[in-house]
Amino acid sequence: MSKASELFLKLGFKSVTMDDIAGEMCISKKTIYKYFCNKEILIEETTETMHSEIHEIINAIVANNYNAIEENFEIRKMFKEMFKSADTSPVYQLKKHYPEIYTKMMAREINECNTLFKKNIENGITQGLYRKEISVETCVKFYYNLIFSIKEQTSSEKEGQKLELELLEYHTRAIATPTGIAELEKQLMNLEKQ
C-alpha cells in the first residue's frame, strides 16, 4: 500500500497499473492480487490509509499549540510537502476516475474537516485573532466549500496549492481582528522567505 500510495500521488490513480506497482516492488502481479482482488480495492484501502495518516499528522500539528493562524499555515505546509511530487491533484483524479471511492472519502472527510475548522476558529476567537461576532458555523461552511471546490475542480496540484494559499489569506482576512491581520502578514512574509 505504501508503494501504491507513492505511485498514485506521483503519477495519478488512473495511469498507475498493477503491473507498475508490481514492477516497482520487484514482485509478481499475482502477489498483489493475493491481497487486493482489483485495483479499485487497492485504491480504496490506500486512500483510507492516506486519510488516516494525514489526520494523524494534522492532530500532531494541532497538539503543538500554535496560534490559530499559524496552525493553518503549518497544516498547509504539511499538505504542500506531502503532495510536492504530484502533478495532478489526487482529489481531482479520484472524483474524475473513481467517483464511488471519492464519495466514500468525502463522507469521511466532511466530519473531520468541519471539526478541525470549527476548533481552529473557536481557538482563534479565544486568542483574539478572529472576531468574536462571526458565525463560526457559517465560516466553517464557507471555508470547507471553497477549499473542496478548489480540490475537486483544479487538476494541477501546483495551481491548486496556489489557489489554496489565496483562499487561506482570503478566509483569514474575512474573520481576523487587527491582531489576526498582523499574524497573517507575519505568516505570509515567512512564506516569501522560504
Side-chain angles (χ1 to χ4, degrees):
M1 281 182 28
S2 176
K3 181 52 76 175
S5 296
E6 179 185 316
L7 291 172
F8 290 147
L9 291 178
K10 186 176 182 181
L11 303 171
F13 288 101
K14 183 74 172 166
S15 61
V16 173
T17 65
M18 296 296 249
D19 283 322
D20 295 331
I21 297 166
E24 281 285 320
M25 297 182 65
C26 300
I27 61 173
S28 73
K29 192 164 68 168
K30 185 178 177 184
T31 303
I32 296 174
Y33 282 115
K34 183 177 171 184
Y35 299 98
F36 304 98
C37 61
N38 60 45
K39 182 178 170 184
E40 286 75 20
I41 299 287
L42 178 58
I43 290 172
E44 189 168 351
E45 291 194 26
T46 301
T47 56
E48 285 179 22
T49 300
M50 284 192 283
H51 172 88
S52 296
E53 289 171 359
I54 287 168
H55 282 281
E56 282 179 28
I57 296 168
I58 289 172
N59 289 339
I61 291 170
V62 170
N64 282 324
N65 293 318
Y66 293 111
N67 71 54
I69 294 171
E70 189 176 18
E71 178 181 281
N72 283 337
F73 276 83
E74 288 296 318
I75 290 169
R76 182 195 166 276
K77 185 166 65 174
M78 178 268 304
F79 276 111
K80 185 176 180 184
E81 188 64 29
M82 185 172 283
F83 298 117
K84 70 181 174 193
S85 65
D87 292 328
T88 308
S89 164
V91 175
Y92 177 85
Q93 292 173 37
L94 275 181
K95 185 177 183 186
K96 183 175 181 183
H97 301 294
Y98 300 96
E100 301 83 21
I101 296 171
Y102 166 81
T103 301
K104 283 182 184 178
M105 182 194 79
M106 291 309 292
R108 286 191 315 262
E109 201 61 30
I110 288 171
N111 286 337
E112 291 192 39
C113 283
N114 283 344
T115 301
L116 177 71
F117 296 160
K118 182 178 181 187
K119 187 78 174 145
N120 178 272
I121 293 171
E122 290 170 346
N123 287 343
I125 290 169
T126 302
Q127 295 163 353
L129 299 171
Y130 301 148
R131 293 179 286 117
K132 290 179 199 165
E133 69 276 4
I134 62 172
S135 166
V136 173
E137 296 298 327
T138 301
C139 290
V140 167
K141 269 187 208 160
F142 285 170
Y143 191 58
Y144 179 85
N145 286 327
L146 288 171
I147 202 89
F148 279 96
S149 175
I150 289 170
K151 288 184 179 298
E152 292 172 349
Q153 296 174 23
T154 308
S155 63
S156 163
E157 182 62 27
K158 188 174 183 177
E159 178 66 19
Q161 288 180 6
K162 181 181 177 291
L163 289 170
E164 287 171 26
L165 175 59
E166 290 175 8
L167 174 58
L168 178 56
E169 181 179 357
Y170 175 83
H171 165 74
T172 305
R173 287 190 189 283
I175 63 176
T177 62
T179 305
I181 297 290
E183 178 63 26
L184 172 64
E185 294 295 339
K186 176 181 149 193
Q187 293 300 320
L188 292 170
M189 282 181 65
N190 287 343
L191 280 181
E192 288 175 17
K193 293 175 186 175
Q194 295 175 358

